[in-house]
Amino acid sequence: RSPLDDMVERPSSRKRRDSFGMLDGLEEDRSSCMTQLTPTSSSSSSLTLIKTNGQVYTYPDGKAGMATCEMCGMVGVRDAFYSKTKRFCSVSCSRSYSSNSKKASILARLQGKPPTKKAKVLQKPPLITKLAAYAQHQANQQSGVKKSVPVEMFDWGRYLGDGDVTGAPVSCFKHVPMGKSWGDISEGVRVEVPNTDSGLPMKVYWIAGIIKLAGFKALLRYEGFDSDSTRDFWLNLCVPDIHPVGWCAAGGKPLVPPQTLLHRFTNWKTFLIKRLTGSKTLPPDFSSKVQESMHFPFKKQMRVEVVDKTHLCRTRVALVEQVIGGRLRLVYEECDDGTDDFWCHMYSPLIHSIGWSRSIGHRFKRSDVSKKLDGQVDAPGQLFAKVKEVDQSGAWFEDGMKLEAIDPLNLSAICVATVRKVLADGYLMIGIDGSEAADGSDWFCYHSTSPSIFPAGFCEINDIELTPPRGYTNLPFRWFEYLKETKSVAAPVNLFNKDVPNHGFRPGMKLEAVDLMEPRLVCVATVTRIVHRLLRIHFDGWEDEYDQWVDCESPDLYPVGWCQLTGYQLQPPAVNAARDLQSAASKQRKKSQQYKGQKKSDQFNQLKDEVRK
């Protein structure tokens, strides 16, 4: 017998095909702490016991102790099976067996026979699959596409390579699923994953260790390969097929070593105990925590106030039309065909509860819709991001004060700006000097604690290029001279937000970021510079002029693998498009130019012109 035979009974002797699926639910409530694995002694010479979190499970050791579930056909450890007779692998299978229709259908399927007309077998797709299908369905409906067109998914694994590229850790993103409960997941943690090198016709598992983390993605190496990295692979740790060590034993699913390793070891029981002793694995409730964190409070047909994308100085009522991973597709209330929409995160500072504009004195476009339609409801105030309370009774911002601000119409630039109006609750209307419309229609609302406004001199101190007012000729720009020329004063430094959290970002880290000039798009991006809490985000494959300044706590930044987890479509680097264009054009011309898209400066100017009309 080979070592493989010692781990699991060969399936060739059975007439029906083995089926290995996920358990319908958690077997029991177990501790959420990282599990320490330690071996225990056993009186049995044929079975080796491994103690995991206070419970003892047995690992397969040849035919002795093996059983086959009479419901689903799953093969596993007899002692881990349910009931005294050990006929079923779980409570779920035991209960399902009592249903004659399900029994007949599933047994027929396992025996290779078509199910009867009366019997139906329901298979629930994973959460990620459902979300992706829903997102594709919505996108098709919006674009009028009747037939689903497969889109090639961007492969972060190939892009990250063997681990030389660093991804921002999940703990940097408090607003994403698992962002606040990622815990101690780190390099060296062991997990049970499908074994793609088993040589067997059914689904089996093996233990792998985390070599490197990049967001939700982990570079894994099967246990036993040691320093051999040739078989390393990337997986999203939040997908349903990754489990804590002990899951296979608890559910009776066999652990089968990769066939490439069979010649390296002869006693796999001893090998596993030696490798797993004292190691860490995922919390037992990790999968359930992931699914719980995928529930979002905003629902379709909720009403909100959101910035008017054609007149930045005012807000409008919009309806939530779609929710994906916490990102909202909002449709302005007076739009009948659903095409006038706006994308933002549910924690974006651009959306507010109904009545917010009136309460602080912000401009608001009244809707012609006289009453709410059936099913429409105002989103509760507690769902929105809260701003820090400020004291405006003492020295405060005043109309005409000068400062520096990120241009909302050109997020790659920090510009000379002016406080145009002081609103209630700490909100300010800001205008970009030299670019303002006469009627103030391009003023933008920032809160006084916003990380997007800075005191005069911030850019000079931090070696950032400050964009002077359009048409200003007294260059190089100097604040002292400009304040004297305009007979104005700079806003006091002590009024600005100086908090710098320990965010964890580092230059060179990869992430997925929203292109805020086209907020429906989430793109492959890199952090290229960090100034206190301010991040310079570069969109991979695009020129530097496309870069955007973003706060470290912005809800428009996501870890690697977020799009895969939520079902949102990730935009690949532009160089991928360039490669396709070059390949298609190679027969017609000898030299291809790099695809750089429409010049963003042109986009900015067009958008600004539209806003100011």
Side-chain angles (χ1 to χ4, degrees):
R1 291 174 64 85
S2 69
L4 181 61
D5 294 322
D6 290 335
M7 294 298 295
V8 63
E9 183 182 356
R10 302 301 293 184
S12 57
S13 61
R14 276 191 289 276
K15 295 182 179 179
R16 58 187 186 184
R17 182 181 178 182
D18 293 319
S19 175
F20 298 90
M22 286 187 64
L23 293 176
D24 292 336
L26 292 177
E27 293 184 27
E28 52 196 276
D29 184 20
R30 292 180 283 181
S31 170
S32 61
C33 64
M34 301 296 280
T35 303
Q36 293 288 333
L37 303 172
T38 56
T40 66
S41 60
S42 172
S43 58
S44 170
S45 59
S46 60
L47 294 176
T48 301
L49 305 181
I50 292 182
K51 187 176 182 181
T52 167
N53 204 26
Q55 299 178 17
V56 177
Y57 301 116
T58 55
Y59 279 80
D61 184 20
K63 293 183 179 180
M66 299 299 292
T68 302
C69 179
E70 295 184 20
M71 181 61 191
C72 67
M74 191 272 294
V75 177
V77 182
R78 180 179 179 82
D79 289 347
F81 270 41
Y82 177 71
S83 80
K84 291 182 179 179
T85 58
K86 308 298 182 185
R87 296 170 60 196
F88 309 105
C89 66
S90 66
V91 177
S92 168
C93 280
S94 175
R95 290 174 180 171
S96 299
Y97 189 81
S98 62
S99 169
N100 291 333
S101 60
K102 287 187 177 180
K103 172 187 172 184
S105 175
I106 295 177
L107 289 178
R109 174 172 58 85
L110 292 171
Q111 293 168 0
K113 300 176 182 178
T116 62
K117 293 181 179 179
K118 294 182 180 180
K120 292 183 179 179
V121 180
L122 301 179
Q123 183 180 3
K124 294 183 179 180
L127 178 63
I128 296 172
T129 305
K130 290 192 289 185
L131 286 170
Y134 178 72
Q136 183 66 50
H137 173 68
Q138 291 291 332
N140 291 343
Q141 282 190 333
Q142 294 161 22
S143 58
V145 179
K146 294 182 180 178
K147 208 170 184 180
S148 125
V149 180
V151 179
E152 184 178 351
M153 295 286 288
F154 172 73
D155 185 359
W156 263 116
R158 271 195 281 179
Y159 196 67
L160 292 170
D162 58 3
D164 293 337
V165 179
T166 305
V170 174
S171 56
C172 290
F173 310 87
K174 304 302 182 186
H175 56 283
V176 304
M178 300 299 292
K180 295 180 180 179
S181 55
W182 193 246
D184 299 328
I185 298 175
S186 59
E187 296 175 8
V189 167
R190 306 300 210 283
V191 291
E192 292 179 353
V193 296
N195 179 2
T196 57
D197 184 32
S198 70
L200 297 173
M202 73 277 207
K203 191 173 190 178
V204 293
Y205 295 81
W206 188 240
I207 296 170
I210 297 178
I211 303 299
K212 194 174 185 67
L213 280 170
F216 289 117
K217 293 276 191 176
L219 181 64
L220 299 172
R221 182 176 300 167
Y222 285 127
E223 205 64 60
F225 275 100
D226 300 331
S227 60
D228 183 359
S229 62
T230 57
R231 296 298 183 97
D232 289 359
F233 55 98
W234 288 92
L235 279 182
N236 192 316
L237 286 180
C238 292
V239 300
D241 237 355
I242 294 185
H243 309 281
V245 172
W247 178 85
C248 283
K253 299 191 172 44
L255 286 171
V256 178
Q259 56 183 352
T260 310
L261 296 176
L262 292 181
H263 67 284
R264 297 193 182 185
F265 305 96
T266 56
N267 192 327
W268 290 101
K269 301 187 301 295
T270 303
F271 170 82
L272 283 179
I273 292 177
K274 183 178 179 180
R275 288 300 178 90
L276 298 181
T277 299
S279 65
K280 290 184 176 182
T281 186
L282 297 178
D285 59 350
F286 183 77
S287 179
S288 61
K289 277 189 174 181
V290 171
Q291 296 195 31
E292 288 171 8
S293 68
M294 295 287 289
H295 297 150
F296 306 102
F298 279 89
K299 307 300 178 186
K300 189 173 180 179
Q301 294 300 296
M302 280 188 173
R303 299 170 79 242
V304 301
E305 288 185 9
V306 63
V307 65
D308 186 341
K309 64 182 181 181
T310 60
H311 294 79
L312 301 183
C313 66
R314 70 187 185 189
T315 57
R316 295 173 61 182
V317 173
L319 295 168
V320 176
E321 180 61 28
Q322 193 175 354
V323 183
I324 302 181
R327 291 196 65 75
L328 311 178
R329 177 175 171 261
L330 305 172
V331 175
Y332 291 112
E333 191 170 55
E334 294 174 299
C335 176
D336 295 328
D337 59 3
T339 56
D340 192 9
D341 61 0
F342 184 80
W343 279 92
C344 67
H345 193 271
M346 62 183 183
Y347 295 145
S348 169
L350 302 179
I351 61 170
H352 310 275
S353 58
I354 298 296
W356 173 84
S357 298
R358 174 183 289 184
S359 69
I360 69 161
H362 194 284
R363 289 191 196 178
F364 177 74
K365 181 186 177 183
R366 295 189 177 277
S367 172
D368 293 335
V369 179
S370 57
K371 62 179 181 179
K372 290 182 285 189
L373 301 177
D374 292 341
Q376 295 180 0
V377 59
D378 295 349
Q382 66 267 22
L383 300 189
F384 299 86
K386 301 295 186 293
V387 293
K388 184 179 179 180
E389 293 186 7
V390 294
D391 181 11
Q392 297 182 224
S393 60
W396 192 242
F397 289 96
E398 297 178 6
D399 293 359
M401 282 184 171
K402 299 294 183 181
L403 68 162
E404 298 174 5
I406 297 176
D407 185 350
L409 294 178
N410 181 358
L411 295 160
S412 66
I414 298 179
C415 307
V416 176
T418 303
V419 176
R420 289 304 178 188
K421 187 178 181 181
V422 178
L423 307 179
D425 296 342
Y427 287 95
L428 310 169
M429 295 304 296
I430 304 294
I432 302 299
D433 285 21
S435 303
E436 297 177 67
D439 59 356
S441 60
D442 57 355
W443 294 353
F444 194 77
C445 184
Y446 280 126
H447 193 263
S448 58
T449 61
S450 169
S452 297
I453 59 174
F454 318 94
F458 173 84
C459 285
E460 182 180 358
I461 292 171
N462 293 285
D463 195 25
I464 298 174
E465 182 180 355
L466 176 66
T467 302
R470 182 181 294 179
Y472 186 72
T473 56
N474 189 10
L475 301 176
F477 178 87
R478 292 184 178 87
W479 265 113
F480 179 79
E481 295 178 1
Y482 185 70
L483 292 174
K484 189 176 180 180
E485 292 171 8
T486 56
K487 297 179 180 179
S488 54
V489 296
V493 175
N494 64 305
L495 298 181
F496 294 85
N497 182 7
K498 303 182 190 66
D499 295 338
V500 181
N502 184 19
H503 48 70
F505 286 101
R506 299 290 182 270
M509 283 183 171
K510 297 291 182 182
L511 70 165
E512 299 175 3
V514 174
D515 180 355
L516 294 169
M517 299 307 298
E518 187 64 50
R520 65 184 176 86
L521 302 179
V522 177
C523 311
V524 174
T526 307
V527 177
T528 57
R529 191 181 175 193
I530 300 174
V531 181
H532 304 305
R533 62 180 301 146
L534 203 58
L535 310 180
R536 183 76 170 178
I537 301 299
H538 175 76
F539 296 103
D540 290 19
W542 297 82
E543 294 177 331
D544 292 345
E545 66 184 87
Y546 298 131
D547 292 0
Q548 296 177 1
W549 287 109
V550 181
D551 181 60
C552 64
E553 295 182 344
S554 168
D556 295 305
L557 301 178
Y558 308 101
V560 168
W562 177 85
C563 282
Q564 179 191 10
L565 175 63
T566 61
Y568 208 99
Q569 184 172 331
L570 178 65
Q571 304 300 314
V575 290
N576 287 357
R579 195 179 298 114
D580 295 339
L581 288 174
Q582 289 171 359
S583 176
S586 60
K587 295 181 181 179
Q588 300 178 5
R589 56 184 182 182
K590 295 181 179 179
K591 188 175 181 181
S592 299
Q593 295 181 345
Q594 182 184 10
Y595 173 71
K596 298 176 181 176
Q598 182 182 358
K599 286 287 186 182
K600 226 168 200 182
S601 56
D602 297 339
Q603 293 178 349
F604 294 150
N605 293 334
Q606 290 173 11
L607 184 55
K608 285 183 177 180
D609 292 341
E610 290 177 5
V611 169
R612 290 171 182 134
K613 284 181 182 178

